[in-house]
Amino acid sequence: MIDILNSIKTDSISKINDIDSLHELDQLKSFLLGKKSPLMDVLKEIPKIPAQDRPIIGKQANQLKEDLTNCLNQKKQELINKERDHFLNNNQTDISLPTSGLPSGTYHPITTVTRLICSILNRYGYAIKQGPNIESDFNNFEALNIAPNHPARDMHDTFYLKNKRVLRTHTSPVQIRTMLMQEPPIKIIAPGKVYRCDADTSHSPVFHQIEGLFVDKHITFADLKGTLEAFLQELFGKNHAIRFRSSYFPFTEPSVEIDVSYTVNGKTSWLEIMGAGMVQRNVFRHVSYDPDSYTGFAFGLGIERIAMILYEIDNIRLFYENDHRFLSQF
Amino acid sequence: MKFPLSWLRDYIKIDCSSEELVDKLTMAGLEVEQVATIGESLSGIITGRIDRITKHPDADKLVITSVFDGKTHHQIVTGASNIAEGDIVPVSLPGAVLANGTKIKSTKLRGVQSDGMLCSEAECGVAEHSAGIWILSKDTPIGIDFIDYAILYDVILDISILPNRGDCQSILGLAREIAALTGQPFSLPPVTLSETAIDHNYSVKTHSELCPLYLGRYITSITNTGAPLWMQRRLQLCGIRPISMIVDITNYVLLETGHPLHAFDDQKCDQKSFSISEVTEATTITTLDGQERTLSSQQLLILNDDNPVAIAGIMGGQNTDVSESTHSIFLEAAYFDPTSIRRAATSLGLRTESSMRFEKGVCVDTVDYASQRAASLLVTYAGASVSKNVITATLPKHPCFDTHTLTLSPDQLNTFLGSNFTSQQIETVLTSLGFKVDNTLVTIPSWRAHDIKEWPCIAEEVARLIGFDTIESTLPHSLPIQDNDDPLVELTKITQDFFVANGFNEVNTYPMISEDDLNYISELKKDDWNELANPISPQLAIMRPLLLPSLLSLISYHSTRQLPNQVLFEVGRSFQNDVEISSLGVVMSGKHDLGAYTEAHRALELDIFSTLTHTCKRFFNQLGLDISLSHDSKSLATWAHPHLNYTISLNKMLIGSLAQVHPTVLDHYGIKDPVVYLDVNLTKLLTLQNSNSIYRPFSRFPSTRRDIALCVPDTLTFSDIMEVATKFKHKTVIKTGVFDVFESESLAPYSRSIGIYFIYQSMTETLSDEIVNKNHQRLCDRLTESLPVQIR
């Protein structure tokens, strides 16, 4: 009996090893372990053998059954894996074909640069404020120490509406609006559209500025310098020289223009980047702040100018043409 | 303003290079916009007298001249025809170089030796073209260095003078500034004027506070020929055309001192009584440029008797202007109120060298200095006699004559600037600028009275001269708690991020549109337009009431450039009556197949109306806002398709609209494909905050789905069906939707099939089929009873 079992074992294992498909494996399984299988024949014979041999033979036969079952399962998993590998390795999908679906949208470069500047100054504690584009003469000029017939009005080619209001010529009226609403300390920036009617090829009648204002006790010109140097180094990188040049704005005193040294095509020159200064005392008077208690600094810069430098754009009109072939580059 | 360095050097020693000077001026607020060097290549040009002219033996168009340079005669052949014996002309001898770089050599012209060249103005570099040789006046010395004599070589600084620096609008003013910047001494050059006891009947009265000082000199026996060459050249270098001795001298003094002067022809002044008064009723005057101009109230006129003879400080009248035959003049020098001059010049649209100076404020203390300077030049160069009897009208108590002082301690200055300037440094700087410093008391020089009004101005002067760059940078000590951003900033950001993430391209457009654009999209009355009074073009004349026209222009722009399929959006301002709002505008145009290339994908081509509607819903969903879209033909916008349109409301407030654009509007922009437009009033959205979300428990029991396929006539919409379904559906219906829509010949004519599913779920139990069937059957019955539909 033992010999029969051993030969069944040898024979079965060899058959299992020869199998190549799951279907054949199924058939073999019923041949090896089914009711008419050689193993079953042996099991049926057990009651006929001497009682003392039965446990040994029975144990051996059951062991063989278990071994064959394991062997079949192992073979089955092998064949499944093989079939899966075959399927995976024979995938003919051309993944190099173009993708289809939602195209990517783009931000206008003015938005990108505005966000960049605001995110730097936001970290310095400046809150972002906005104001209307149609302004009163008071907010745009008078409160900023530009009386009617002040020669500085020449610096602003102003669009007037038929109702005598103006399209703001700078974002500075947001200073006035904020100071009229709140008491110091004031620490704000105000990005937005501004309008000048001096359009030619190098100007646009509509452009964008960011205004900054910090009013508190004991604010100094040195603070203005330190703040704007830090800001410009973040914006342009640390290896640019910065200079503060005397200038004139009716709403600041002292007033400066800030130049950054910039190298284009190997040629280094000073680029005029922003205007700034200490808030003029008359501006404080117009918003009922005591000029003897508070000082402050204000600054302003043109967003297009920064975008043109950062992206090497040579024509301001590209921003407003909104040509897809321009916008899709940002 | 243009400043020739050679002229500045008359009054101030300039040791540094012109680059250094330019840098110093620019850093001190006198921005040098351009440095022009003229006559750089010129060399060896002298003056000579043509003593003899003889015919050229072999050429009709050439002559042989003998030119005397004071020592020897030179034989020079020339083709010029405007010369005569005795003329004094510029001569370039062999070795000399002309303005265009040509080097002169001895040569033979048609066989005749020529040792040099007679020069034209163009060859000397003072004119673009010239017709003949430059004939100089008879009193020109011969044999002298003509480059120096006629100022043919110079460096000219073009400086943009800021509005507060009227005092630098003159050669002397800038020289004084350079002196302070370079540490040189400076004082006004003295004028010596010999006056004569000549009688005249002139008198002057001022009737206006706007003219606190008016000063007249009677000058006679003027030889009114051309001004000396050097004076003419200086005028030219500053951009002023020489005219005649009298005009040139007044212009010269204007440039030199910054004081505009005016000469009236004595013979044309019938009456000798002058007065200055404000116009009370509209008055016309023909100015010396031949224009008739009308003055309105508060503008200042100079009257001769009652006859207007000049617009004060701006331009003289034609009736009394000087001409070549003028030999006696009444010379005006005055101080006019800056604001009034600016107001008048602006309203007349007439800006002159004179008004530019008066409106920034001239120095009241040197009015007479300028008058004397002009008179002395007339004596020297025109042989004039000046009457001792100077006529003056003055308002001595006028504030312009006050001396101004300010108090500023070095501590106060350093605290303000954050600097460490010593009191010695401060005093040195201020003294160099003409301030007088007595401890903390600072006296303002008269020429800075218009500019220095408060102590920070003095701090600015100190920092400007020592250099802003010398102040050590610090960061502010105070750290206020950061204020809130404007809520619109955050909403704008979320909106931009959403639409960019969904494949839309952001644009940025001008908020101005044309009248045509406006009429196509709205029925606003002209009174409600936000119309510009001074547009730069009719295309940019009115502030837009919504973003649509700006976006349609871009669709039009791209469709003519083979890019008709656009998905654009903008967050920008729009203007409705007196209200300025922040708007979202979104447009979709053309075909959007998402780049599909298989049949199955191509079939999914987006319907732009449905896509934008869905995008709109998702946008508000992301904002956490529960909007409702409704089709309301009563509030239909002019620009909208009569059928494909929605109004968007939130809490029953209208906050936007979504519609296909009416083809008539598209025609106006030459757009062929349909365009869908979404408009949202972001400003209003901010005022309609939804309440915070509160958690609602949800059912964990299984749900069951039931479908209905309805045959629906075309006149009935899905929303009509849903209205009834919503009314009658059982409370266990938690969700409904469409699973199939089709049209087919197998259906009744003019109808379609709509398949609708209903999801049933209870909060408390697993629903049995019987219960669901019962509830669903009731719903089906109600639908067929209430609507002309059949269940298929």
Side-chain angles (χ1 to χ4, degrees):
Chain A
M1 286 298 252
I2 299 281
D3 290 344
I4 296 170
L5 284 175
N6 280 339
S7 94
I8 290 173
K9 185 174 182 179
T10 318
D11 188 51
S12 298
I13 287 175
S14 132
K15 278 199 169 75
I16 290 170
N17 283 341
D18 288 347
I19 289 293
D20 208 24
S21 79
L22 281 170
H23 175 69
E24 283 169 14
L25 191 71
D26 263 0
Q27 286 176 339
L28 183 65
K29 186 177 179 181
S30 49
F31 174 75
L32 294 180
L33 299 175
K35 283 177 183 160
K36 288 174 184 166
S37 60
L39 182 59
M40 281 303 153
D41 292 345
V42 172
L43 288 171
K44 277 178 209 151
E45 291 299 314
I46 286 178
K48 296 175 188 164
I49 61 172
Q52 73 272 22
D53 291 342
R54 279 181 215 159
I56 300 158
I57 300 298
K59 196 179 171 191
Q60 289 245 354
N62 280 326
Q63 182 63 48
L64 178 59
K65 191 182 175 186
E66 197 181 322
D67 288 350
L68 290 180
T69 307
N70 283 343
C71 197
L72 281 163
N73 283 343
Q74 198 183 330
K75 184 71 185 178
K76 187 177 180 183
Q77 194 57 49
E78 247 173 54
L79 287 171
I80 286 173
N81 287 349
K82 197 175 158 193
E83 205 160 285
R84 180 174 290 164
D85 283 350
H86 177 82
F87 178 76
L88 289 175
N89 290 328
N90 285 284
N91 189 319
Q92 292 300 315
T93 309
D94 181 359
I95 60 163
S96 73
L97 273 169
T99 54
S100 59
L102 206 58
S104 38
T106 52
Y107 292 94
H108 194 280
I110 295 292
T111 299
T112 311
V113 173
T114 306
R115 286 190 179 187
L116 172 68
I117 293 169
C118 286
S119 73
I120 297 171
L121 291 166
N122 237 194
R123 277 196 292 105
Y124 296 5
Y126 291 80
I128 308 171
K129 299 288 176 185
Q130 297 202 327
N133 292 11
I134 297 182
E135 265 294 2
S136 63
D137 191 88
F138 177 81
N139 283 343
N140 195 74
F141 291 121
E142 275 189 68
L144 290 158
N145 200 32
I146 314 172
N149 293 305
H150 191 292
R153 292 220 174 189
D154 283 352
M155 296 163 96
H156 301 249
D157 294 289
T158 312
F159 280 114
Y160 289 90
L161 280 103
K162 291 212 163 149
N163 61 12
K164 302 290 174 206
R165 292 172 78 82
V166 301
L167 292 185
R168 64 177 179 189
T169 57
H170 46 184
T171 40
S172 311
V174 183
Q175 287 186 22
I176 302 301
R177 288 179 169 271
T178 311
M179 288 193 284
L180 285 172
M181 301 253 296
Q182 290 167 244
E183 287 300 307
I186 298 283
K187 201 173 180 185
I188 57 154
I189 45 174
K193 274 194 170 64
V194 299
Y195 303 77
R196 304 265 175 107
C197 57
D198 62 345
D200 58 47
T201 48
S202 64
H203 290 89
S204 162
V206 182
F207 55 102
H208 297 75
Q209 286 186 340
I210 290 188
E211 184 82 7
L213 175 71
F214 189 3
V215 179
D216 204 347
K217 292 190 163 137
H218 314 303
I219 300 290
T220 69
F221 183 85
D223 295 338
L224 175 158
K225 273 191 79 187
T227 303
L228 297 182
E229 277 167 357
F231 164 68
L232 289 172
Q233 281 182 354
E234 285 204 50
L235 193 59
F236 292 109
K238 290 214 183 288
N239 47 356
H240 292 276
I242 295 166
R243 71 175 190 187
F244 290 73
R245 173 162 59 76
S246 177
S247 190
Y248 171 74
F249 306 107
F251 38 94
T252 52
E253 188 141 55
S255 302
V256 286
E257 293 270 3
I258 302 158
D259 300 340
V260 171
S261 99
Y262 214 83
T263 306
V264 180
N265 298 331
K267 193 169 168 272
T268 302
S269 55
W270 290 104
L271 296 186
E272 200 174 302
I273 297 295
M274 60 196 297
M278 300 299 287
V279 180
Q280 227 273 354
R281 288 159 64 88
N282 282 337
V283 175
F284 284 152
R285 291 183 186 111
H286 277 296
V287 297
S288 306
Y289 284 7
D290 177 5
D292 291 326
S293 303
Y294 295 104
T295 53
F297 60 78
F299 54 91
L301 68 163
I303 295 168
E304 281 82 353
R305 177 137 183 87
I306 306 297
M308 288 172 87
I309 295 167
L310 293 178
Y311 302 137
E312 298 181 21
I313 294 168
D314 56 3
N315 184 349
I316 191 166
R317 304 219 153 193
L318 283 166
F319 292 112
Y320 308 102
E321 197 176 39
N322 290 296
D323 193 306
H324 178 76
R325 294 159 292 187
F326 172 76
L327 296 180
S328 58
Q329 297 181 31
F330 299 96
Chain B
M1 187 185 162
K2 292 191 166 81
F3 295 90
L5 274 188
S6 67
W7 196 350
L8 287 165
R9 284 201 162 97
D10 277 4
Y11 311 115
I12 172 87
K13 209 168 123 196
I14 299 170
D15 285 335
C16 54
S17 70
S18 56
E19 286 78 16
E20 265 177 85
L21 181 66
V22 165
D23 191 55
K24 278 197 163 93
L25 286 167
T26 299
M27 291 304 283
L30 292 143
E31 192 180 350
V32 181
E33 293 189 321
Q34 204 195 358
V35 182
T37 307
I38 57 151
E40 215 169 356
S41 58
L42 286 172
S43 152
I45 299 178
I46 57 163
T47 53
R49 189 180 63 226
I50 302 170
D51 278 353
R52 200 173 63 247
I53 303 177
T54 51
K55 282 187 173 178
H56 191 289
D58 295 321
D60 290 346
K61 291 192 173 168
L62 295 177
V63 290
I64 303 160
T65 65
S66 173
V67 178
F68 184 59
D69 70 2
K71 286 177 203 136
T72 50
H73 281 88
H74 304 273
Q75 176 173 296
I76 295 172
V77 178
T78 177
S81 55
N82 68 327
I83 48 170
E85 289 180 358
D87 279 350
I88 298 171
V89 296
V91 180
S92 48
L93 296 176
V97 183
L98 301 180
N100 64 6
T102 309
K103 198 170 175 185
I104 303 300
K105 290 174 198 150
S106 289
T107 180
K108 277 188 177 171
L109 285 169
R110 293 284 185 103
V112 177
Q113 181 69 27
S114 180
D115 295 325
M117 196 173 140
L118 310 184
C119 302
S120 68
E121 289 180 49
E123 284 150 353
C124 292
V126 305
E128 292 278 314
H129 308 282
S130 37
I133 301 301
W134 189 355
I135 312 294
L136 305 172
S137 80
K138 296 289 179 209
D139 57 1
T140 309
I142 55 175
I144 54 159
D145 177 352
F146 187 63
I147 297 172
D148 189 42
Y149 182 78
I151 324 172
L152 300 183
Y153 166 78
D154 210 342
V155 175
I156 295 146
L157 307 181
D158 196 346
I159 299 180
S160 126
I161 306 289
L162 292 164
N164 63 330
R165 293 308 302 274
D167 65 298
C168 286
Q169 289 191 110
S170 65
I171 301 290
L172 284 169
L174 190 73
R176 179 166 48 212
E177 185 76 9
I178 293 172
L181 289 172
T182 57
Q184 302 281 335
F186 175 85
S187 54
L188 279 185
V191 173
T192 42
L193 174 62
S194 57
E195 290 169 315
T196 329
I198 306 169
D199 256 356
H200 62 80
N201 299 323
Y202 282 100
S203 67
V204 177
K205 268 191 185 140
T206 173
H207 301 300
S208 170
E209 286 279 315
L210 304 176
C211 176
L213 176 63
Y214 193 99
L215 197 141
R217 274 196 162 77
Y218 175 66
I219 303 171
T220 188
S221 313
I222 302 166
T223 312
N224 194 12
T225 51
L229 183 61
W230 59 266
M231 188 183 287
Q232 294 192 22
R233 286 288 302 139
R234 282 185 168 175
L235 293 177
Q236 283 175 339
L237 293 178
C238 294
I240 292 179
R241 191 166 54 91
I243 293 168
S244 69
M245 181 71 86
I246 297 170
V247 176
D248 290 357
I249 286 179
T250 57
N251 281 335
Y252 185 81
V253 174
L254 169 123
L255 292 174
E256 186 181 56
T257 65
H259 282 282
L261 304 172
H262 185 66
F264 297 95
D265 188 331
D266 172 54
Q267 279 194 311
K268 293 179 184 167
C269 295
D270 302 333
Q271 306 298 319
K272 305 299 177 191
S273 65
F274 275 78
S275 64
I276 304 98
S277 56
E278 291 167 42
V279 174
T280 46
E281 56 192 54
T283 309
T284 56
I285 174 172
T286 303
T287 44
L288 49 81
D289 56 1
Q291 301 278 317
E292 190 179 276
R293 299 176 191 275
T294 306
L295 280 83
S296 46
S297 64
Q298 292 190 332
Q299 296 179 348
L300 264 190
L301 264 186
I302 314 294
L303 300 165
N304 180 235
D305 205 6
D306 283 336
N307 200 15
V309 289
I311 305 171
I314 300 176
M315 195 178 266
Q318 202 172 42
N319 50 7
T320 51
D321 68 342
V322 294
S323 64
E324 281 174 23
S325 60
T326 304
H327 53 79
S328 297
I329 58 167
F330 178 72
L331 182 70
E332 164 199 298
Y335 177 91
F336 299 114
D337 173 70
T339 308
S340 80
I341 296 297
R342 187 181 154 85
R343 198 190 307 126
T346 308
S347 76
L348 290 167
L350 183 61
R351 307 306 273 277
T352 60
E353 292 283 338
S354 170
S355 74
M356 269 166 50
R357 286 173 174 80
F358 279 123
E359 73 177 39
K360 288 185 188 172
V362 300
C363 172
V364 73
D365 281 1
T366 48
V367 172
D368 189 34
Y369 174 85
S371 170
Q372 288 187 41
R373 172 72 172 148
S376 77
L377 287 170
L378 283 163
V379 171
T380 310
Y381 296 100
S385 303
V386 181
S387 169
K388 252 185 195 160
N389 183 7
V390 181
I391 313 296
T392 310
T394 180
L395 305 172
K397 287 185 179 155
H398 193 280
C400 77
F401 296 110
D402 293 350
T403 300
H404 298 275
T405 56
L406 288 166
T407 311
L408 177 65
S409 71
D411 275 356
Q412 193 182 357
L413 183 145
N414 282 324
T415 305
F416 176 61
L417 293 175
S419 54
N420 292 308
F421 299 139
T422 63
S423 49
Q424 186 56 47
Q425 267 179 305
I426 294 168
E427 194 174 328
T428 306
V429 163
L430 290 177
T431 310
S432 77
L433 285 164
F435 291 79
K436 287 193 183 72
V437 183
D438 183 7
N439 280 322
T440 60
L441 191 71
V442 182
T443 307
I444 316 302
S446 55
W447 59 89
R448 298 297 298 274
H450 300 281
D451 161 31
I452 310 288
K453 304 268 194 194
E454 293 205 65
W455 62 263
C457 312
I458 298 177
E460 175 168 42
E461 290 304 297
V462 173
R464 184 172 74 87
L465 258 77
I466 299 176
F468 286 106
D469 288 333
T470 64
I471 299 172
E472 205 165 316
S473 303
T474 55
L475 288 173
H477 290 295
S478 82
L479 287 169
I481 290 169
Q482 188 175 332
D483 195 4
N484 283 326
D485 287 348
D486 188 318
L488 198 55
V489 172
E490 181 63 13
L491 180 58
T492 302
K493 187 173 181 294
I494 293 172
T495 306
Q496 287 167 328
D497 289 347
F498 175 86
F499 281 94
V500 168
N502 282 283
F504 289 77
N505 295 321
E506 191 191 18
V507 297
N508 193 322
T509 59
Y510 291 168
M512 301 93 113
I513 58 172
S514 74
E515 193 174 327
D516 240 16
D517 289 338
L518 184 77
N519 285 329
Y520 271 99
I521 54 133
S522 91
E523 285 166 336
L524 279 179
K525 287 191 217 73
K526 204 168 162 66
D527 285 350
D528 294 331
W529 295 358
N530 283 293
E531 199 176 354
L532 295 181
N534 57 336
I536 51 165
S537 97
Q539 295 307 309
L540 303 171
I542 302 163
M543 304 309 285
R544 63 188 174 197
L546 65 165
L547 302 186
L548 179 63
S550 311
L551 295 173
L552 286 179
S553 298
L554 291 180
I555 302 278
S556 169
Y557 171 94
H558 284 101
S559 59
T560 57
R561 286 165 177 80
Q562 298 93 44
L563 296 163
N565 310 327
Q566 293 293 322
V567 280
L568 309 176
F569 80 99
E570 177 169 16
V571 179
R573 296 299 169 96
S574 54
F575 307 81
Q576 294 167 0
N577 304 332
D578 290 338
V579 188
E580 179 174 333
I581 57 170
S582 191
S583 294
L584 163 69
V586 189
V587 281
M588 277 190 92
S589 72
K591 293 184 165 45
H592 299 274
D593 59 6
L594 304 180
Y597 43 78
T598 65
E599 202 165 338
H601 273 149
R602 265 197 300 272
L604 292 174
E605 183 188 306
L606 300 177
D607 170 66
I608 56 173
F609 183 79
S610 153
T611 305
L612 192 55
T613 308
H614 189 66
T615 309
C616 167
K617 287 177 180 169
R618 288 177 49 233
F619 170 60
F620 284 103
N621 210 349
Q622 175 151 337
L623 292 177
L625 298 173
D626 192 12
I627 53 150
S628 63
L629 294 179
S630 56
H631 183 77
D632 180 4
S633 54
K634 269 177 278 174
S635 59
L636 189 64
T638 326
W639 54 269
H641 188 290
H643 183 65
L644 297 175
N645 71 73
Y646 280 124
T647 52
I648 306 168
S649 29
L650 180 67
N651 305 343
K652 296 187 177 152
M653 289 278 281
L654 187 67
I655 52 152
S657 46
L658 188 156
Q660 190 151 317
V661 179
H662 199 285
T664 315
V665 179
L666 295 182
D667 282 349
H668 171 59
Y669 290 90
I671 300 168
K672 292 188 184 63
D673 294 319
V675 176
V676 183
Y677 174 61
L678 163 67
D679 185 90
V680 179
N681 182 337
L682 296 179
T683 306
K684 204 186 254 180
L685 205 57
L686 279 179
T687 64
L688 302 170
Q689 290 297 342
N690 257 23
S691 56
N692 287 338
S693 299
I694 292 169
Y695 161 73
R696 278 173 300 138
F698 56 92
S699 168
R700 290 181 191 272
F701 294 98
S703 65
T704 312
R705 169 173 161 156
R706 292 290 181 277
D707 294 347
I708 318 178
L710 294 172
C711 181
V712 180
D714 285 348
T715 49
L716 202 66
T717 66
F718 173 66
S719 76
D720 295 335
I721 298 167
M722 289 314 289
E723 203 178 310
V724 175
T726 309
K727 199 165 144 194
F728 294 113
K729 71 178 165 47
H730 191 259
K731 64 178 197 302
T732 53
V733 173
I734 56 147
K735 191 174 189 289
T736 58
V738 175
F739 66 88
D740 185 41
V741 176
F742 73 91
E743 285 170 33
S744 156
E745 286 176 13
S746 65
L747 299 172
Y750 306 111
S751 62
R752 60 196 165 134
S753 165
I754 301 181
I756 304 171
Y757 66 83
F758 295 85
I759 310 281
Y760 289 83
Q761 190 183 33
S762 159
M763 288 296 286
T764 53
E765 59 182 336
T766 302
L767 293 172
S768 66
D769 273 357
E770 295 80 64
I771 291 176
V772 171
N773 287 345
K774 200 180 91 192
N775 288 333
H776 189 65
Q777 188 54 50
R778 187 180 300 148
L779 176 61
C780 294
D781 293 347
R782 292 283 179 273
L783 283 173
T784 47
E785 283 162 17
S786 321
L787 295 166
V789 297
Q790 286 170 314
I791 293 180
R792 290 177 55 240

